[in-house]
Amino acid sequence: AVGHRVVHGGSRFVEPTLITPEVVDSIEELSVLAPLHNPGALQGIRAAVIFGSAHNETGDPRATEKAIAALARQHDIAICGPNCMGFLAFGQKLVVSGYPVVPGTPSGHITFISHSGSVFDSIWQNNRHLHFNYVISAGNEIVTTAADYMHFALQDPTTRVIGIFLETVRDPAGFRTAL
């Protein structure tokens, strides 16, 4: 979306880039689902965020999600989503989300993982002086689950508290291990 930043966009965008109408016009080809037809396009990709639903309109509604998940697992790619709001990593000053973040927002010691986009947005913008190191909107968790995020946060020495707002636990064994 115009006004957002591209963190990585292949060889063309090697530095964070502000998306302007001129940048959009300069992109010759957008290959969002090209890896489904050309898995070689996945070389070098380690992680992705899928904001949209990735559901099919006809046939098996989860067919696209299943295909993306299979390719991601085959190529060892972590995926946040689909159907998520992205994530915020305050200590790294990294925002991979459509929500604006005030520059200079302090990092803290709380990791928050949510399935709800509304809760994701409202919890970190609290007026109670709570500061987060990570705020993660997990979405449908087709590859990376809340349990994976919990394990990740527990390995970070800045994490003192993990808060979760989940609709379901998709990896019960991993979740129990993280607890």
Side-chain angles (χ1 to χ4, degrees):
V2 173
H4 295 278
R5 295 186 180 276
V6 170
V7 174
H8 184 278
S11 61
R12 171 94 166 53
F13 300 105
V14 294
E15 295 292 325
T17 304
L18 182 64
I19 301 299
T20 64
E22 293 76 27
V23 169
V24 172
D25 290 342
S26 75
I27 299 172
E28 295 176 15
E29 179 182 341
L30 294 176
S31 55
V32 175
L33 293 178
L36 294 178
H37 307 290
N38 178 14
L42 296 172
Q43 187 171 347
I45 297 174
R46 304 290 6 122
V49 175
I50 302 174
F51 296 99
S53 71
H55 282 181
N56 290 345
E57 296 298 321
T58 60
D60 179 0
R62 300 238 182 235
T64 301
E65 281 188 357
K66 291 174 186 174
I68 292 169
L71 280 171
R73 287 187 181 98
Q74 178 184 351
H75 295 278
D76 197 28
I77 299 172
I79 292 184
C80 181
N83 197 29
C84 73
M85 305 314 259
F87 65 90
L88 312 171
F90 290 103
Q92 294 80 10
K93 298 181 179 9
L94 178 62
V95 175
V96 182
S97 177
Y99 286 107
V101 175
V102 176
T105 299
S107 181
H109 302 285
I110 303 169
T111 295
F112 185 73
I113 303 161
S114 177
H115 281 161
S116 165
S118 297
V119 173
F120 162 85
D121 184 44
S122 64
I123 198 77
W124 75 266
Q125 293 191 56
N126 69 84
N127 292 324
R128 301 193 186 282
H129 305 290
L130 297 174
H131 301 292
F132 298 86
N133 54 356
Y134 302 102
V135 181
I136 302 161
S137 172
N140 293 355
E141 299 180 358
I142 64 170
V143 175
T144 309
T145 67
D148 296 319
Y149 297 123
M150 290 169 65
H151 284 291
F152 168 80
L154 290 167
Q155 297 302 311
D156 186 325
T158 66
T159 301
R160 293 189 189 153
V161 174
I162 295 177
I164 53 177
F165 184 92
L166 302 178
E167 297 164 0
T168 187
V169 175
R170 292 184 176 95
D171 176 11
F175 192 82
R176 279 191 300 274
T177 302
L179 292 176

